[in-house]
Amino acid sequence: MAYVILNLVCVAALVGIDQAIKLWAVQYLAPVEAITVIPHVVELRFVLNQGMAFSLLSGKQLFLILATSAALLLVAYLLFFRSRGKLLQQIAFILVLAGGIGNLIDRVLNGEVVDYINPLFIDFAVFNFADILVCVGVALWVLVILLEEVEDKPSKER
């Protein structure tokens, strides 16, 4: 039970941070549109995104809500029933779940996601904290899979 509670607290904390930053962006960043953080490197720019990454599937809110919900149910299952005792995998699932929930909240309540981090040194989409959580979580999940393959390889060769 403590395992489940710890995971829920971690996910809730990350979702709370995401939602607090988005609330700040709506209240303080939207009126000024952009704030330079590091000139020519990064700025905070208020953008509302009706799609997913790079505005793909823009305007397909019902599909995005249903697909995201299904994916998050799978990640929640993997977190609570398949990652016990596997810390890196557990962290990966927590990050993906929290980021997905953070953006899903926006999509369900507002029909669009608040984005605000704009890298200026490359031509890239504006994104948010939840997007970072999902990307880092997926990268960590891939690392976990690769490490498991490396661990299993010597035993398979015997």
Side-chain angles (χ1 to χ4, degrees):
M1 188 64 165
Y3 173 79
V4 171
I5 292 171
L6 175 65
N7 287 326
L8 288 174
V9 167
C10 290
V11 169
L14 291 169
V15 170
I17 291 168
D18 173 65
Q19 292 298 297
I21 295 169
K22 288 174 179 171
L23 180 62
W24 173 86
V26 167
Q27 290 179 343
Y28 298 102
L29 187 57
V32 297
E33 291 185 19
I35 299 171
T36 300
V37 177
I38 302 171
H40 309 293
V41 178
V42 69
E43 71 178 0
L44 299 178
R45 174 169 297 279
F46 184 79
V47 174
L48 295 173
N49 184 356
Q50 291 187 350
M52 51 187 260
F54 302 101
S55 296
L56 295 172
L57 298 174
S58 187
K60 307 283 189 209
Q61 294 307 316
L62 181 60
F63 173 77
L64 289 171
I65 289 169
L66 293 175
T68 301
S69 298
L72 291 177
L73 286 172
L74 174 62
V75 172
Y77 168 78
L78 293 171
L79 171 61
F80 294 113
F81 298 105
R82 297 288 183 204
S83 66
R84 188 179 302 267
K86 301 174 183 175
L87 183 61
L88 283 179
Q89 189 176 59
Q90 182 181 350
I91 293 169
F93 293 147
I94 287 169
L95 294 175
V96 171
L97 190 58
I101 290 171
N103 281 341
L104 184 61
I105 289 170
D106 283 13
R107 199 172 305 287
V108 168
L109 295 181
N110 307 316
E112 51 201 0
V113 174
V114 174
D115 287 331
Y116 48 83
I117 301 170
N118 186 24
L120 301 172
F121 61 97
I122 57 172
D123 186 23
F124 198 73
V126 180
F127 56 95
N128 62 42
F129 180 69
D131 298 334
I132 294 169
L133 293 176
V134 171
C135 290
V136 171
V138 168
L140 189 56
W141 193 358
V142 169
L143 178 64
V144 166
I145 292 168
L146 293 174
L147 290 174
E148 286 176 354
E149 282 295 315
V150 169
E151 282 180 9
D152 286 349
K153 198 161 199 133
S155 62
K156 288 180 181 176
E157 291 174 355
R158 286 186 220 166

